[in-house]
């Protein structure tokens, strides 16, 4: 073939060392065109002494047979983006410099991951590495498979973007982009159509009009064939399914695909979706989604529960607030990491040696990245949809809220009050998303995943965006009440209560006080078989252990605030007071005796629990969900009221409830040596029956802790954490005894630990001490409690009443305090925090779940 004598310039540039482009994308309508074009180049490269590596995706057709100088590496391709990408990344990282890499089609990645976005992320990660390794890589990309935006994204990141066309006789090439590594004047001749010259096994420039017309004919032929072009496979798939559904075709199998690529990988959840979702429900989710990927466990649980109620309890469903949530897909999380250049750091953090040590650095970077402009534009549209309502940005990771893994309280949720200009609100919203992303690397979350063997799983963070449900009360915005509910409650504050009836933890205001152990967070406990029953002896005690403050959104300041109940008690409308306020009649009588007549209010939620229909709705919802889930569930909700007595419930979350399943009664003998028993309590424990030999006891003296300076109390939590991590995985049975409430954020109520500080203990005891104002709270259903259940840690309270038969901390007298051996900085606090080795004293713990009794014994010196 005579093409005016021009040498195959493009071929030379692709193989000429320093001037060759690093990353070359070949677009084609047929993968065979790519193979025909590239195979001669690979042969020429081998002749020049270039090492050629073919990266083959498992499950795809083999393009190049392995031979002496062409090595093939097969990489397992599945839905797991991270595992696949790391495998390719490691292969190239460990290889020599200057290698020519041949890839299977990028479009096959789109098929595996259901979206262009993750294909783009893979491409961005690998092209940067190839460039650093001074290599060259050829990537085929099939036309009519991807969106215009995706083509532009890939083209902007390539060194060369080449289009292949065929007319069944000749193979043509059109260079669209070509950036050599060094400036080269000869590149000017490259940007013309080329034709494959079989005699030279190379592409040569087209210089005559006849060949030019043949090339144009090949291009037009493909344009006439093209259908469904310029759409991401994600959009193409949903469009096709929606058309089929509207035309009356069966889309059952397509619904299964939508469930698996968008909703959940949990087989039990997917089965619930099959039983309850209609095609319109999947379409709704897609329409309310930013980005692509999965919506995560929290979102999926909420939607599934709402559908269960709609299908099985339509009369209750009519009293639910309309669902108007949005979802930020899990692919956006990876895109954020890749586009901001954090991928390599993430790979380092995933390795065992960097699991904890690199996490803090990566978390800090996640807090300061930038979102791609198309994503930011979708964020703007979301905020305009909700305007002027405040929203909450909630974690919804892939592993969260599943069967067996609750991740309760491990990841962040951030309120966005929504004041200010659109740009200010956008910045506030972006920061909230960043905070949720960074929370995947908190010590508590990392420890949780490690303990449950999930450290190697792809933990993708999707996000659930919900309108904050509530009403305006002056400058404050909050729901009348909120809380958490449990379809089964192992905690009975009265012997007559039925655990199967379910329980609520009910608070006024935003629901954070129902799940977190914060100052003033004594919620109203409601057993749904006897909603008005109380765990208190009298009204004064009820008032003492009531909710003292509530979480609200201050719309004027644009902030989330915790305000005192007394700040709003006189401004609430009468119908709200009737629902959530209670009278302390004893205090009112005492004041009257002194000639002072006034109402003494406190938050009791008394009017709500007296509403039989409302309590019935809550119980029926949970029992229905439990029946469909096949195990107990817990939910989060809000309740809003109108002046005429109407109420609406907003079902915000639902997940399988982790609960203690006892293997059998552990009998406790009645004839235990009295002198050896240093603790004996009834009706104040949660945990499985057990009999264990105790190795260590960590004891925090209540009075000494009370007397220490407030600003030093966090040190005690740090010492507890040091002991916890020192003995982690050393097979030690340790007991922790602390004043007041463990895990509180308020040191005046107890010791402010996180779960990662106490995760290695066998049992946790909260000790009452009235002289210092410490009172345990068996926080059934709090995030802390969920952690204890999942890790099978016994949870007990030592009260100052008839429930405690014996408590003798003086039994520890004479034992050596080892705390400074573990944490030298604790030496000056040895009177407060004490670590005892009790193995030689034959210490034992006995707990009988059925008999609701716990005993600890230790031989005397």
């Amino acid at each position: 073939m005579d093409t005016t004598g021009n040498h195959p310039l493009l071929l030379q540039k692709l193989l000429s060392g320093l001037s060759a482009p690093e990353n070359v994308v070949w677009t084609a309508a047929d993968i065979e065109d790519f193979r025909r074009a590239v195979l001669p180049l690979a042969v020429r490269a081998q002749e020049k002494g270039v090492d050629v590596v073919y990266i083959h995706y498992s499950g795809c057709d083999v393009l190049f047979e392995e031979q002496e100088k062409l090595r093939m590496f097969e990489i397992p391709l599945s839905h797991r983006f991270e595992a696949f990408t790391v495998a390719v990344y490691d292969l190239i990282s460990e290889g020599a410099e200057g290698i020519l890499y041949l890839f299977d089609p990028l479009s096959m990645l789109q098929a595996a991951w259901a979206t262009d976005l993750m294909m783009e992320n893979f491409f961005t990660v690998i092209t940067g590495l190839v460039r650093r390794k001074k290599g060259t890589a050829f990537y085929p990309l099939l036309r009519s498979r991807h969106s215009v935006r995706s083509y532009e994204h890939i083209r902007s990141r390539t060194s060369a973007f080449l289009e292949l066309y065929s007319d069944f006789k000749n193979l043509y090439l059109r260079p669209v982009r070509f950036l050599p590594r060094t400036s080269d004047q000869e590149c000017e001749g490259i940007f013309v159509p080329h034709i494959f010259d079989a005699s030279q096994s190379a592409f040569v420039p087209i210089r005559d009009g006849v060949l030019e017309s043949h090339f144009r004919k090949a291009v037009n032929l493909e344009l006439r064939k093209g259908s469904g072009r310029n759409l991401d496979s994600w959009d193409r798939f949903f469009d096709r399914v929606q058309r089929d559904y509207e035309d009356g075709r069966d889309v059952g199998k397509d619904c299964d695909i939508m469930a698996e690529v968008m909703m959940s990988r949990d087989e039990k959840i997917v089965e619930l979706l099959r039983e309850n979702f209609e095609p319109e429900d999947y379409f709704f989710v897609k329409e309310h989604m930013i980005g692509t990927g999965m919506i995560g466990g929290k979102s999926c649980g909420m939607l599934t529960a709402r559908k269960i109620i709609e299908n099985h309890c339509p009369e209750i469903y009519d009293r639910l607030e309309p669902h108007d949530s949005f979802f930020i897909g899990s692919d956006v999380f990876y895109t954020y990491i890749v586009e901001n250049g954090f991928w390599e750091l993430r790979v380092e953090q995933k390795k065992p040696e960097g699991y904890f040590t690199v996490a803090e650095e990566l978390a800090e970077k996640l807090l300061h990245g930038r979102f791609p402009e198309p994503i930011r534009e979708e964020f703007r549209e979301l905020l305009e949809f909700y305007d002027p309502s405040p929203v909450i940005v909630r974690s919804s990771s892939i592993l969260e809220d599943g069967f067996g893994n609750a991740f309760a309280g491990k990841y962040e949720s951030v309120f966005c009050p929504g004041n200010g200009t659109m740009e200010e609100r956008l910045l506030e919203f972006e920061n909230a998303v960043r905070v949720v992303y960074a929370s995947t690397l908190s010590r508590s979350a990392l420890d949780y995943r490690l303990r449950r063997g999930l450290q190697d799983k792809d933990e993708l963070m999707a996000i659930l965006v919900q309108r904050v449900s509530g009403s305006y009360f002056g400058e404050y915005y909050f729901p009348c009440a909120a809380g958490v509910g449990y379809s089964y409650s192992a905690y009975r504050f009265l012997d007559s209560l039925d655990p199967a009836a379910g329980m609520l933890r009910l608070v006024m205001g935003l629901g954070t006080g129902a799940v977190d152990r914060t100052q003033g967070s004594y919620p109203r406990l409601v057993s749904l078989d006897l909603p008005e029953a109380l765990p208190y002896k009298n009204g004064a005690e009820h008032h003492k252990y009531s909710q003292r403050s509530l979480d609200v959104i201050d719309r004027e300041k644009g902030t989330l605030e915790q305000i005192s109940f007394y700040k709003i008690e006189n401004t609430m409308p009468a119908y709200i007071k009737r629902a959530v306020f209670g009278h302390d009649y004893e205090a009112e009588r005492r004041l009257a005796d002194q000639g002072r007549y006034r109402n003494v209010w406190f938050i009791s939620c008394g009017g709500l629990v007296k509403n039989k229909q409302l309590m019935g709705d809550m119980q029926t919802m949970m029992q229905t969900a439990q029946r469909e889930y096949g195990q107990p569930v817990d939910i989060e909700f809000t309740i809003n009221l109108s002046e005429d007595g109407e109420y609406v419930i907003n079902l915000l979350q639902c997940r399988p409830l982790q609960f203690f399943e006892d293997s059998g009664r552990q009998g406790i003998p009645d004839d235990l040596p009295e002198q050896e028993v240093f603790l004996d309590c009834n009706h104040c424990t949660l945990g499985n029956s057990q009999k264990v030999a105790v190795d260590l006891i960590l004891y925090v003296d209540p009075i000494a802790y009370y007397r220490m300076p407030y600003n030093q109390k966090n040190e005690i939590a740090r010492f507890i954490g040091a002991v916890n991590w020192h003995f982690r995985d050393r097979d030690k049975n340790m007991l922790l005894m602390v004043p007041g409430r463990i895990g509180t954020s308020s040191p005046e109520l107890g010791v402010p630990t996180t779960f990662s500080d106490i995760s290695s203990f066998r049992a946790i005891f909260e000790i009452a001490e009235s002289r210092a104002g410490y009172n345990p709270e068996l926080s059934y259903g709090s995030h802390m409690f969920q952690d204890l259940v999942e890790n099978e840690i016994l949870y007990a309270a030592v009260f100052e009443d008839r429930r405690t038969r014996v408590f003798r901390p003086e039994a520890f007298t004479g034992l050596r305090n080892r705390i400074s051996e573990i944490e030298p900085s604790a030496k000056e606090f040895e009177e407060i925090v004490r670590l005892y080795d009790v193995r030689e004293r034959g210490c034992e713990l006995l707990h009988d779940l059925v008999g609701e009794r716990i005993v600890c014994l230790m031989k005397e010196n």
Side-chain angles (χ1 to χ4, degrees), residues 756-768:
S756 63
D757 295 322
I758 62 173
S759 57
S760 298
F761 286 91
R762 183 77 182 213
I764 311 291
F765 296 82
E766 296 183 341
I767 302 170

Side-chain angles (χ1 to χ4, degrees), residues 10 24-39 41 139-143 161-167 170-176 194-196 203 215 218-219 222:
L10 185 60
V24 183
V25 172
W26 305 71
T27 69
D30 189 324
I31 192 60
E32 179 61 22
D33 292 344
F34 169 74
R35 195 189 68 79
R36 286 174 57 198
V38 165
L39 189 56
L41 294 178
Y139 313 87
L141 184 69
L142 297 177
R143 285 193 293 275
F161 193 86
L162 313 175
E163 295 179 344
L164 292 169
Y165 295 93
S166 173
D167 60 4
N170 292 311
L171 184 62
Y172 305 95
L173 181 146
R174 176 166 61 184
V176 177
H194 288 59
I195 187 170
F196 186 73
F203 284 97
F215 163 71
V219 174
E222 184 175 325

Side-chain angles (χ1 to χ4, degrees), residues 75-106:
I75 308 296
L77 177 58
S78 69
H79 65 268
R80 297 186 63 190
F81 164 85
E82 189 161 339
F84 177 85
T85 305
V86 168
V88 176
Y89 187 94
D90 288 345
L91 173 65
I92 298 174
S93 294
E94 295 164 6
E97 293 186 349
I99 293 176
L100 170 61
Y101 294 97
L102 310 179
F103 282 80
D104 276 339
L106 292 172

Side-chain angles (χ1 to χ4, degrees), residues 1 3-4 6 171-173 189 192-196 203-216:
M1 179 185 296
T3 57
T4 73
N6 285 298
L171 184 62
Y172 305 95
L173 181 146
V192 295
H194 288 59
I195 187 170
F196 186 73
F203 284 97
V204 295
I206 293 174
R207 298 299 187 188
D208 67 62
V210 173
L211 289 178
E212 173 80 15
S213 68
H214 290 323
F215 163 71
R216 294 298 170 187

Side-chain angles (χ1 to χ4, degrees), residues 360-406:
E360 186 174 346
E361 179 185 357
L362 180 53
E364 183 64 23
K365 287 186 178 296
L366 290 177
L367 290 172
H368 297 94
R370 180 172 176 80
F371 290 94
E373 193 55 42
I375 297 296
R376 298 189 80 225
E377 187 57 38
E378 290 193 71
F379 286 172
R380 285 189 185 91
E381 293 175 3
L382 177 151
L383 294 173
E384 288 171 354
F385 172 84
Y386 284 120
D387 188 46
S389 298
V391 299
I392 181 170
V393 177
R394 309 184 71 190
S395 69
S396 183
S397 82
I398 300 304
L399 300 176
E400 197 172 354
D401 285 7
F403 283 84
N405 301 305

Side-chain angles (χ1 to χ4, degrees), residues 315-333:
E315 71 287 351
I316 295 178
Y317 186 78
D318 288 341
R319 293 190 283 274
L320 294 187
E321 282 195 45
H323 155 59
D324 56 3
S325 302
F326 274 77
F327 317 98
I328 302 177
S330 57
D331 292 353
V332 177
F333 175 61

Side-chain angles (χ1 to χ4, degrees), residues 376 379-391 393 415-434 465 555 558:
R376 298 189 80 225
F379 286 172
R380 285 189 185 91
E381 293 175 3
L382 177 151
L383 294 173
E384 288 171 354
F385 172 84
Y386 284 120
D387 188 46
S389 298
V391 299
V393 177
F415 286 95
C416 296
N419 283 17
T421 64
M422 174 52 69
E423 195 60 29
E424 290 169 337
R425 293 170 60 205
L426 177 61
L427 292 175
E428 176 188 60
F429 184 82
E430 288 180 306
N431 284 332
V433 175
R434 292 185 186 102
V465 182
R555 293 290 284 167

Side-chain angles (χ1 to χ4, degrees), residues 261-278:
V261 302
M262 185 174 65
M263 305 296 290
S264 179
R265 293 175 185 165
D266 189 315
E267 291 182 3
K268 293 182 179 179
I269 294 293
V270 170
E271 186 58 35
L272 283 171
L273 293 170
R274 288 195 188 103
E275 294 170 358
N276 290 281
F277 261 48
E278 297 293 334

